[in-house]
Amino acid sequence: MIVTRFAPSPTGALHVGGARTALYAWAFARHNNGKFILRIEDTDRERSDMSHADGIVDALQWMGLNWDEGPIFQSDRKEIYREHAEKLVELGAAYRCFCSQERLEEMRKEQTGKGVPEGYDRRCRNLSIEEVELELSKKTPHVIRFKMPLDGETIFRDELRGTIAYPNTQQDDFILLKSDGFPTYHLANVIDDHLMNVTHVMRGEEWIPSTPKHVRLYESFGWEPPAFVHLPVILAPDGKKLSKRHGATSVQEYRERGFLPTALLNYLTLLGWSPGDDREIFSRDELAELFSLERVNKRSAVFDETKLRWLNGKYLMELSWDRFEPLIMPYVEKFGLKDEQLKDWGVTLDKNEWIKKTLELGKERAETVIDVIEKLRFFYEEEIEFDEESVKKHFKGDDLQGRIEVGREAIQAANPWSIEELEKEIRGRADVKGFKHPKVFHPMRVAVTGRQHAPGLFTTIFLIGRNRALKRVEKALGIIANTIDR
Ligand code: GLU
């Protein structure tokens, strides 16, 4: 059975690169009716934080990447790693190192001074049994280090890149077990991948230099190594590795900024994998059905937020009200709208119906959930601000006041208060005065919303409510009078 895992260290939010790794590992397992494991690698006590672990678990759930086992926390498995490290000492593949922090510090300084590569000088590698016993009886703190072969090379196969070889002389006698009894990443990672029967290790390419260490560990334990799949890093548009200074990098941030899990997942799917045709819209299940390692790209992909926004807009438009409502309501609630307030504004619909109607207008042409709200602020706020560009463009020309007054009169006259009546009144009155319809519509739209781009004029005025619309028109007329006076 194919077994994959996602093994994040809880040292920060879930980076989109990590999310893509998780996604491919998930898809590969699902495609093969295998198993997907979530393992939290929290053995670095200083850098790990439970709140990050929670955040990562939450972000994966939000994306719909369900796991079959986990989350398994490595910090709960300390004993297992210690036993295995001891086993390697017994086998002669590892040794105890009693060198003090100060000594290692000094050694490092000397190495940098001489310009030679840093690394442990293997002083404890050849301690006699008696020397080791003596230190142990003195309870000298110690670590367990791996005995790297002193010559030859370590060769492994990467499923995407083929054979990779590292000369052993480049490798340090790296630490397996720290003096606090916690394993290092290398030790815990290898033991767990073996004990959890992982068949395919899928991870970012930044882990390639660690792989020869892992391969040596597998060999020393007498275990068969899994297949390795190192995924290319994700780049920013400037060609550098995507990082914080390029903007949002975590799934959580995209979620907060109003992106949909389906769209983000779809976008990440295509960032390094292709279905072999030019299809652009993919669901999670379609990915699982089609995913294969052969179609994973070896080259790094560029994270293009414009494309993600576009995709998100497509998903947003298709979203049914039932799925859209829970996403948008937290933002709407921030306005704290009251029933009486709507009445004062002259809104004739019931609050919930009114909210639904306004939001559906905003969904069209919006790219994110937050865009929807931003585009609709004028519905939820008492006062509007006039957008400078819109004012410049539409508050001008012959008899501007007269054209807006036509609108004002129509708003006063519409009876009953309905979209159809509003349309009839505005058009009719424009005709009487001999104004071309767009000459009335454009400045009216700016007058009641503050901006030139807004949903259809009659529906918009209807939803703003008669009283509030009139107030806004007055305000606009005031601005116009002032500008003309000056
Ligand atoms: N804990 C490592 C990380 O944070 C896991 C790397 C691996 O998958 O082996 O990425």
Side-chain angles (χ1 to χ4, degrees):
M1 181 170 62
I2 298 283
V3 180
T4 64
R5 71 344 181 239
F6 180 51
S9 301
T11 55
L14 178 61
H15 188 275
V16 287
R20 191 195 53 178
T21 301
L23 174 61
Y24 288 5
W26 173 88
F28 189 58
R30 290 291 167 266
H31 181 80
N32 292 291
N33 290 320
K35 187 157 94 177
F36 176 58
I37 300 174
L38 175 60
R39 185 172 76 220
I40 308 290
E41 302 208 322
D42 59 346
T43 59
D44 185 337
R45 302 314 289 161
E46 265 158 45
R47 297 182 58 228
S48 299
D49 185 330
M50 261 314 277
S51 70
H52 290 313
D54 289 344
I56 293 170
V57 168
D58 199 46
L60 290 170
Q61 260 160 354
W62 178 71
M63 287 182 66
L65 299 179
N66 51 339
W67 46 89
D68 306 297
E69 234 176 71
I72 298 168
F73 288 83
Q74 286 189 326
S75 55
D76 292 338
R77 299 164 56 81
K78 235 173 108 182
E79 229 6 69
I80 301 177
Y81 310 124
R82 204 187 51 76
E83 279 165 18
H84 281 83
E86 295 289 345
K87 177 96 188 288
L88 286 185
V89 175
E90 267 166 45
L91 290 171
Y95 61 93
R96 296 179 205 280
C97 167
F98 299 91
C99 290
S100 66
Q101 277 310 322
E102 295 75 55
R103 168 160 199 272
L104 295 175
E105 208 42 61
E106 226 151 80
M107 183 188 73
R108 221 166 286 143
K109 263 193 221 142
E110 218 181 287
Q111 286 167 339
T112 358
K114 282 192 198 145
V116 294
E118 281 181 23
Y120 179 56
D121 62 3
R122 303 190 159 110
R123 183 183 184 172
C124 294
R125 184 164 164 142
N126 297 312
L127 291 183
S128 65
I129 296 173
E130 294 74 30
E131 284 168 311
V132 171
E133 288 302 327
L134 181 66
E135 293 301 335
L136 284 180
S137 68
K138 287 196 290 189
K139 298 218 167 1
T140 313
H142 72 277
V143 300
I144 293 181
R145 287 183 184 273
F146 186 71
K147 246 185 216 171
M148 218 34 202
L150 300 175
D151 50 22
E153 44 181 23
T154 300
I155 298 172
F156 60 92
R157 206 184 115 73
D158 177 273
E159 298 298 311
L160 300 181
R161 297 150 215 269
T163 303
I164 299 180
Y166 274 87
N168 292 333
T169 45
Q170 273 180 18
Q171 301 288 337
D172 204 4
D173 281 359
F174 59 98
I175 297 177
L176 300 172
L177 201 70
K178 294 178 268 188
S179 54
D180 62 1
F182 275 92
T184 55
Y185 153 70
H186 304 299
L187 180 70
N189 186 274
V190 163
I191 292 174
D192 280 349
D193 281 340
H194 173 74
L195 296 181
M196 296 171 191
N197 298 314
V198 170
T199 56
H200 290 74
V201 164
M202 296 170 76
R203 60 184 169 205
E205 69 182 345
E206 66 273 24
W207 298 100
I208 292 179
S210 295
T211 309
K213 296 185 173 67
H214 300 180
V215 170
R216 283 287 157 200
L217 275 171
Y218 282 105
E219 190 187 69
S220 305
F221 281 120
W223 297 337
E224 187 67 33
F228 295 103
V229 186
H230 290 98
L231 301 167
V233 288
I234 294 181
L235 302 177
D238 64 2
K240 308 232 166 70
K241 194 173 160 189
L242 182 70
S243 72
K244 285 238 183 329
R245 72 194 164 82
H246 295 108
T249 52
S250 72
V251 171
Q252 287 95 322
E253 281 170 281
Y254 280 99
R255 178 182 184 172
E256 273 155 30
R257 289 174 55 204
F259 286 84
L260 302 172
T262 40
L264 185 61
L265 193 134
N266 189 151
Y267 183 66
L268 292 176
T269 294
L270 294 175
L271 206 61
W273 176 83
S274 85
D277 52 36
D278 49 14
R279 260 203 286 176
E280 290 199 296
I281 305 290
F282 275 93
S283 71
R284 200 182 51 145
D285 294 339
E286 282 167 321
L287 171 66
E289 193 188 311
L290 294 169
F291 189 82
S292 72
L293 290 181
E294 289 76 47
R295 303 215 78 94
V296 173
N297 208 325
K298 279 186 275 298
R299 276 196 314 272
S300 297
V302 173
F303 193 90
D304 174 4
E305 198 177 301
T306 320
K307 180 87 189 283
L308 170 60
R309 294 185 76 89
W310 169 83
L311 206 56
N312 204 64
K314 281 209 161 289
Y315 274 89
L316 204 56
M317 216 143 74
E318 302 288 314
L319 218 56
S320 67
W321 172 250
D322 288 347
R323 310 236 339 246
F324 180 56
E325 191 184 8
L327 295 174
I328 192 93
M329 283 319 274
Y331 297 99
V332 174
E333 274 152 19
K334 284 191 190 149
F335 292 101
L337 296 179
K338 304 253 172 4
D339 292 316
E340 313 86 73
Q341 203 174 2
L342 294 192
K343 261 207 200 96
D344 288 348
W345 288 344
V347 169
T348 50
L349 300 180
D350 146 85
K351 187 170 124 190
N352 291 337
E353 198 189 341
W354 178 81
I355 290 176
K356 183 173 171 184
K357 282 245 152 55
T358 57
L359 293 177
E360 276 175 344
L361 291 178
K363 220 158 88 160
E364 302 291 315
R365 292 184 304 270
E367 290 187 325
T368 69
V369 174
I370 290 191
D371 280 356
V372 175
I373 284 294
E374 284 309 315
K375 281 176 38 184
L376 299 177
R377 280 192 167 277
F378 59 84
F379 280 129
Y380 306 115
E381 288 175 337
E382 187 80 46
E383 302 280 341
I384 47 171
E385 295 202 1
F386 288 93
D387 164 56
E388 220 174 287
E389 202 192 305
S390 307
V391 166
K392 234 194 253 160
K393 192 155 166 212
H394 295 293
F395 280 5
K396 66 171 189 208
D398 290 343
D399 206 0
L400 171 64
Q401 291 198 5
R403 284 180 278 139
I404 293 188
E405 273 158 14
V406 157
R408 175 173 63 183
E409 284 157 20
I411 294 174
Q412 278 162 340
N415 187 21
W417 182 247
S418 70
I419 298 170
E420 300 71 39
E421 280 304 312
L422 275 165
E423 171 159 15
K424 213 169 82 194
E425 290 288 346
I426 295 178
R427 288 191 192 276
R429 281 160 200 272
D431 289 341
V432 171
K433 295 270 169 143
F435 295 135
K436 288 210 174 88
H437 294 180
K439 289 275 177 207
V440 175
F441 297 170
H442 291 310
M444 271 308 284
R445 179 175 289 111
V446 180
V448 294
T449 67
R451 39 181 108 172
Q452 53 181 324
H453 301 296
L457 183 63
F458 314 117
T459 311
T460 299
I461 297 178
F462 171 73
L463 292 171
I464 286 173
R466 191 189 321 252
N467 304 339
R468 194 165 48 149
L470 283 174
K471 260 200 215 148
R472 289 181 181 179
V473 172
E474 291 303 337
K475 193 170 163 191
L477 285 168
I479 291 177
I480 293 164
N482 270 334
T483 344
I484 293 172
D485 286 344
R486 253 187 270 138

Coordinates of all heavy atoms in Angstrom, one line a residue, residues 5 7-9 41 185 189 202-203 207, ligand 1:
R5 N 3.1 11.0 3.9 CA 2.8 11.8 5.1 C 3.2 13.2 4.8 O 3.9 13.5 3.9 CB 3.6 11.2 6.3 CG 5.1 11.3 6.4 CD 5.9 11.6 5.3 NE 7.3 11.7 5.5 CZ 8.1 12.7 5.4 NH1 7.6 13.9 4.9 NH2 9.4 12.7 5.6
A7 N 4.7 16.2 7.2 CA 5.4 16.2 8.4 C 5.9 17.6 8.8 O 7.1 17.8 8.9 CB 6.6 15.2 8.4
P8 N 5.0 18.5 9.0 CA 5.5 19.9 9.3 C 6.1 20.1 10.7 O 5.7 19.4 11.6 CB 4.1 20.7 9.2 CG 3.1 19.7 9.6 CD 3.5 18.4 9.0
S9 N 7.0 21.0 10.8 CA 7.5 21.4 12.1 C 6.7 22.6 12.5 O 6.5 23.6 11.7 CB 9.0 21.8 12.0 OG 9.7 20.8 11.5
E41 N 6.3 17.4 13.5 CA 7.7 17.2 14.0 C 8.1 18.3 14.9 O 8.7 19.3 14.5 CB 8.5 17.1 12.7 CG 8.1 16.0 11.8 CD 9.2 15.4 10.9 OE1 10.0 16.2 10.4 OE2 9.2 14.2 10.7
Y185 N 15.8 16.2 14.1 CA 14.9 15.9 13.0 C 15.3 14.7 12.2 O 14.5 13.8 12.0 CB 15.0 17.2 12.0 CG 14.6 16.9 10.6 CD1 13.3 16.5 10.2 CD2 15.6 16.9 9.6 CE1 13.0 16.2 8.9 CE2 15.3 16.6 8.3 CZ 14.0 16.2 8.0 OH 13.7 15.9 6.7
N189 N 12.7 11.6 12.1 CA 12.1 11.5 10.8 C 12.3 10.1 10.2 O 11.3 9.5 9.7 CB 12.8 12.6 9.9 CG 12.1 12.8 8.5 OD1 12.5 12.1 7.6 ND2 11.2 13.7 8.4
M202 N 7.6 12.7 0.5 CA 7.4 13.8 -0.4 C 7.6 15.1 0.4 O 7.0 15.3 1.4 CB 6.0 13.8 -1.0 CG 5.8 12.6 -1.9 SD 4.1 12.4 -2.5 CE 4.0 13.6 -3.7
R203 N 8.6 15.9 0.0 CA 8.9 17.1 0.8 C 9.6 18.1 -0.1 O 9.9 17.8 -1.3 CB 9.8 16.7 1.9 CG 11.1 16.1 1.6 CD 11.9 15.7 2.8 NE 13.0 14.8 2.5 CZ 13.6 14.0 3.3 NH1 13.1 13.8 4.5 NH2 14.6 13.2 3.0
W207 N 15.2 19.9 1.4 CA 15.6 18.7 2.3 C 16.6 17.8 1.6 O 17.0 16.8 2.2 CB 14.4 18.0 2.8 CG 13.6 18.9 3.6 CD1 12.4 19.6 3.3 CD2 13.9 19.3 5.0 NE1 12.0 20.3 4.3 CE2 12.8 20.2 5.4 CE3 14.9 19.0 5.9 CZ2 12.8 20.8 6.6 CZ3 14.8 19.6 7.2 CH2 13.8 20.5 7.5
Ligands
GLU1 N1 9.7 18.7 9.6 C1 10.2 18.9 8.3 C2 9.6 20.2 7.7 O1 9.2 21.0 8.5 C3 9.8 17.7 7.4 C4 10.6 17.5 6.2 C5 10.2 16.1 5.7 O2 9.1 16.0 5.2 O3 11.0 15.2 5.9 O4 9.5 20.4 6.6

